[in-house]
Amino acid sequence: MSYYMHHFPWWFHRFETLSNHFIELIAPFFTFLGRRMCMVNGAIQILFQVVLIISGNLSFLNWLTIVPSLACFDDASLSFLFRCGSAAKEAVLEIQKEEATGQAPKPTKGTLIRRVVNISLGVLIGCLSIPVMMNLLSPRQVMNTSFDPLRIVNTYGAFGSITKERTEVIFQGTLSPDPKDPETVWEEYQFKCKPGDVYQQPCLISPYHYRLDWLMWFAAFQTYEQSEWIIHIAGRLLANDSTVLSLLDYNPFQGRDPPRWVRGEHFRYKFTQPGSASTAQGKWWLRKRIGAYFPAVDLEGLRGYFQSRNWPHPHIPPSRS
């Protein structure tokens, strides 16, 4: 769906942006405007998250966001979920009837203690939330950070800002002894979900999470010096490490000798245009090389790099040692 929604007309994308601001900045206050408006907010939030689930792979984030939205619906609005005459439904209706007529029993000692604990917890959360709210309003906002030793109240967020381009890091390997030879044939590794092969159809995996694919996407925003684990993976690929290869969809050296060299190439991806020649060829993506992400490396050359970071050095195949 992301492919087709990407090609919707400009006015639809303007509507999306306005809707996003309304749903995230205004609709939540409906919660305090009475029962009906509270349920309206719950329905809006759930619908919004469903659209996000359909149109993108944000793993379980949207599903988790639906959970607190369920609290916008009271027992009466959810009674249809219980079959008529069920014990649970009858019990709830009886309690509601007693409360409405003022016949509810006096609170027990345990109930009073629970109320005190709930209020105390609410006050504690409120106090701990002050630095979080100050951070939220700050022009130098920090994301995914804890503000107290117990990590009770934190800031969460997958994105500090939204990029306008899709860039990807592509792992390539070769059996050639000389990576600088113009005749060297480089073969690409393919991941389970992230863009790589331009003929690969975009996947829908939510709420499952391919964490490595996700991290590769973020690594493309940075340099390999900022994401050193990229080089760690390259070393594992050079050794045909089965654990790392199990996280990939395609290993070009399956059943063959491990690659002598592995490099990372940086590409800019964009969707093909519906009805274009590229689409007729079966391509979902168009890509343009930006440049090298990290230079060609071999196992022996990585020995010092791994040792300086206390990483276990991958085994060098006997045929190369």
Side-chain angles (χ1 to χ4, degrees), residues 218-237:
F218 280 87
F221 303 156
Q222 304 172 325
T223 64
Y224 75 88
E225 290 91 349
Q226 295 170 302
S227 303
E228 292 184 339
W229 55 269
I230 287 279
I231 305 301
H232 189 274
I233 291 181
R236 297 296 173 183
L237 294 178

Side-chain angles (χ1 to χ4, degrees), residues 18-219:
L18 292 173
S19 299
N20 181 86
H21 285 68
F22 172 78
I23 293 171
E24 294 191 348
L25 300 177
I26 299 177
F29 292 99
F30 292 177
T31 304
F32 310 104
L33 300 181
R35 175 177 179 269
R36 291 183 182 276
M37 293 303 292
C38 182
M39 290 192 293
V40 168
N41 173 51
I44 290 175
Q45 298 298 334
I46 292 175
L47 177 61
F48 180 51
Q49 297 304 318
V50 169
V51 171
L52 295 178
I53 290 170
I54 293 173
S55 61
N57 286 316
L58 298 176
S59 68
F60 45 79
L61 296 179
N62 304 122
W63 296 84
L64 287 180
T65 308
I66 288 176
V67 175
S69 299
L70 298 177
C72 294
F73 302 92
D74 58 15
D75 297 331
S77 63
L78 298 176
S79 61
F80 70 92
L81 296 175
F82 302 92
R83 69 180 188 278
C84 185
S86 67
K89 182 176 181 179
E90 293 298 330
V92 170
L93 292 176
E94 184 64 26
I95 293 174
Q96 290 178 334
K97 181 178 179 181
E98 292 177 353
E99 291 179 346
T101 57
Q103 299 177 356
K106 294 183 179 180
T108 63
K109 183 179 179 180
T111 302
L112 293 175
I113 293 176
R114 185 171 63 183
R115 287 180 181 175
V116 172
V117 172
N118 288 343
I119 293 173
S120 301
L121 181 61
V123 172
L124 174 63
I125 296 299
C127 293
L128 293 177
S129 297
I130 293 176
V132 178
M133 293 302 299
M134 296 299 292
N135 173 73
L136 179 65
L137 300 175
S138 171
R140 297 183 178 181
Q141 183 183 132
V142 181
M143 301 181 65
N144 299 315
T145 303
S146 296
F147 291 84
D148 63 90
L150 299 179
R151 300 177 180 270
I152 297 176
V153 180
N154 316 289
T155 57
Y156 300 96
F159 309 97
S161 61
I162 303 299
T163 58
K164 295 183 179 181
E165 293 182 331
R166 178 84 189 215
T167 57
E168 294 289 346
V169 178
I170 305 298
F171 282 113
Q172 298 177 342
T174 182
L175 294 171
S176 172
D178 183 6
K180 297 182 180 180
D181 187 343
E183 301 298 322
T184 296
V185 176
W186 292 93
E187 301 179 72
E188 295 186 4
Y189 293 86
Q190 301 297 333
F191 285 72
K192 294 180 182 295
C193 194
K194 88 174 191 70
D197 182 2
V198 294
Y199 292 93
Q200 181 178 352
Q201 178 179 338
C203 64
L204 180 62
I205 58 170
S206 178
Y208 192 70
H209 190 27
Y210 287 131
R211 184 162 177 78
L212 180 57
D213 294 53
W214 178 273
L215 292 176
M216 288 291 294
W217 177 30
F218 280 87

Side-chain angles (χ1 to χ4, degrees), residues 173-175 189 232-246 248 250-262 299 314-317 319-320:
T174 182
L175 294 171
Y189 293 86
H232 189 274
I233 291 181
R236 297 296 173 183
L237 294 178
L238 285 164
N240 261 358
D241 185 279
S242 59
T243 302
V244 171
L245 290 174
S246 68
L248 305 184
Y250 174 69
N251 171 21
F253 303 96
Q254 180 73 34
R256 303 157 58 191
D257 289 337
R260 289 181 175 269
W261 299 87
V262 166
L299 274 179
H315 170 69
I316 298 180
S319 59
R320 307 230 198 112

